[in-house]
Amino acid sequence: MRPLVATIDLAAIRHNYAVAKRCAPGRQAFAVVKANAYGHGVREVVSALHEEADGFAVASLEEAAEVRAMHGEARILLLEGCFAADELPMAAHLGLDLVVQGAEQIEALLAAELSRPLNVWLKLDSGMHRLGLAPVAVRELFPRLRGAAQVAELNLLSHFACADERGHSLTEVQLECFLDLLDLDFDQRSLANSAAVLMIPAAHMDWLRPGIMLYGASPFSDLSAAELGLKPAMTLSAQLIAVREVAVGESVGYGAGWVAERPSRIGTVSCGYADGYPRHAPSGTPLYVGGRRAALAGRVSMDMLSVDLTDLPEAAVGDAVELWGANLPIDEVAHAAGTIGYELLTKVTARVPRRYKA
């Protein structure tokens, strides 16, 4: 068996969900489990949160059906709504909480014959300008939806664009835009993503939507997950499968981009970009080998990468290598690679076996 595994700590995910709830006493929280629970395995994550979570949030009807099969009672929020009118009967059958984010979705809902009314979340475009309705449209549509046979609860939802950048002026603009509509008699309100859960109490409303924080990564560039009280959920670990000596002036890897400036020991690691490790990670990106930090050397290959072991003379074939996880924060690796933890987690491919710790 190829020595590469993603170990998922389900107790850490439960801990991180509890952190979200403690940030906003009395509020409820949709655990965001879209994209296969950010690469962690939706079945296992939903099972781990079965008793704790007030609800779950997903991106598609297919994801919603998978969650419903595991949890018959939880509220399941369909974040982008139905992509076609013919999905609405299934949304009703599954008993989903349905986002409506544009005129087309709203007209399709009002024309649908459903087996039961849905909890509807009217999405406000408060300033991100990706999905949602302008404030004036929300006011115009409110009475039509409030009286519609297809609607059980009528709720309000929006999404922050810059909550991860503390003090960004757009965040206050978006919050004010949302608050300005609360004279309308919405049943429930939801605004806070992970960053707002952790740092913007005024945005907590009735329902939180923690996502990246559940998986032990930080939404902030200037605050680590550990500083926020979060525990890493995924540890991606491999092995040294070869070690060689490289003379001064010799190169390593495709493109010969890394050249030894001193007599060097180079290790080969059983992980590459086909496993989800970022191909664009530059030399110097940190790895954790045998209990010590080491640096990526040269270009990442499809199935392997190289690490500079010159300062780790005891490192040997068979030693464990952590790509990120319990000893090496994913956010640090992501920063070195010029990306974010979200992307690294969701890109761990299906060929990497997941093992679960309860």
Side-chain angles (χ1 to χ4, degrees), residues 141-165:
L141 289 161
F142 181 87
R144 283 184 69 196
L145 288 164
R146 174 56 86 193
Q150 297 87 348
V151 178
E153 285 183 7
L154 182 56
N155 307 318
L156 184 67
L157 173 145
S158 193
H159 191 60
F160 283 118
C162 303
D164 56 322
E165 299 178 42

Side-chain angles (χ1 to χ4, degrees), residues 314-333:
E314 71 284 0
V317 170
D319 283 359
V321 179
E322 186 174 305
L323 290 310
W324 61 69
N327 299 295
L328 181 60
I330 190 167
D331 298 310
E332 186 177 341
V333 179

Side-chain angles (χ1 to χ4, degrees), residues 13-354:
I13 294 174
R14 286 191 294 270
H15 166 86
N16 296 335
Y17 183 84
V19 170
K21 293 278 282 190
R22 283 199 302 273
C23 287
R27 272 62 165 208
Q28 294 182 287
F30 289 111
V32 182
V33 294
K34 63 181 179 175
N36 195 31
Y38 290 47
H40 292 71
V42 67
R43 293 180 177 275
E44 292 79 7
V45 171
V46 170
S47 296
L49 292 174
H50 195 282
E51 302 305 318
E52 283 90 348
D54 305 305
F56 299 93
V58 297
S60 69
L61 196 64
E62 293 80 5
E63 290 180 346
E66 192 170 9
V67 175
R68 178 60 76 217
M70 292 177 283
H71 203 310
E73 303 301 323
R75 294 180 72 155
I76 302 173
L77 178 64
L78 193 55
L79 287 165
E80 297 166 46
C82 290
F83 297 110
D86 60 9
E87 293 185 343
L88 285 163
M90 180 56 72
H93 173 73
L94 294 171
L96 304 184
D97 279 47
L98 182 72
V99 169
V100 290
Q101 50 82 10
E104 299 84 0
Q105 285 187 339
I106 290 167
E107 295 306 324
L109 174 66
L110 293 174
E113 293 186 12
L114 303 178
S115 58
R116 55 177 157 175
L118 293 162
N119 294 330
V120 172
W121 294 80
L122 198 56
K123 182 152 191 180
L124 166 69
D125 180 2
S126 56
M128 188 170 184
H129 302 322
R130 186 178 64 176
L131 293 177
L133 299 147
V136 64
V138 171
R139 290 193 179 277
E140 289 172 358
L141 289 161
F142 181 87
R144 283 184 69 196
L145 288 164
R146 174 56 86 193
Q150 297 87 348
V151 178
E153 285 183 7
L154 182 56
N155 307 318
L156 184 67
L157 173 145
S158 193
H159 191 60
F160 283 118
C162 303
D164 56 322
E165 299 178 42
R166 291 189 291 162
H168 197 289
S169 59
L170 181 56
T171 300
E172 189 65 31
V173 170
Q174 289 193 263
L175 180 58
E176 289 298 324
C177 182
F178 194 91
L179 294 173
D180 283 347
L181 287 170
L182 297 191
D183 60 296
L184 298 174
D185 184 25
F186 288 103
D187 295 304
Q188 306 280 328
R189 295 150 292 268
S190 180
L191 182 57
N193 57 3
S194 290
V197 168
L198 291 161
M199 289 292 172
I200 311 174
H204 287 165
M205 307 299 166
D206 302 297
W207 281 84
L208 315 171
R209 303 195 308 273
I212 193 65
M213 68 179 293
L214 295 180
Y215 307 103
S218 173
F220 305 105
S221 61
D222 59 342
L223 281 174
S224 70
E227 288 173 314
L228 294 166
L230 304 173
K231 296 181 179 180
M234 178 192 289
T235 296
L236 184 64
S237 52
Q239 277 184 15
L240 288 176
I241 58 173
V243 177
R244 70 192 63 253
E245 305 293 328
V246 174
V248 173
E250 296 202 334
S251 64
V252 170
Y254 285 121
W258 188 94
V259 178
E261 297 179 352
R262 58 178 176 168
S264 301
R265 295 183 76 234
I266 298 296
T268 303
V269 180
S270 54
C271 181
Y273 62 76
D275 304 301
Y277 195 88
R279 181 180 180 274
H280 59 269
S283 294
T285 298
L287 301 158
Y288 191 80
V289 181
R292 292 179 61 189
R293 294 288 186 102
L296 183 70
R299 191 179 296 172
V300 175
S301 303
M302 183 179 289
D303 311 299
M304 293 170 277
L305 54 81
S306 298
V307 57
D308 185 354
L309 301 174
T310 310
D311 296 326
L312 281 70
E314 71 284 0
V317 170
D319 283 359
V321 179
E322 186 174 305
L323 290 310
W324 61 69
N327 299 295
L328 181 60
I330 190 167
D331 298 310
E332 186 177 341
V333 179
H335 179 73
T339 185
I340 54 177
Y342 303 68
E343 183 177 24
L344 297 187
L345 291 172
T346 58
K347 282 194 170 179
V348 176
T349 59
R351 80 171 185 169
V352 179
R354 272 71 165 171

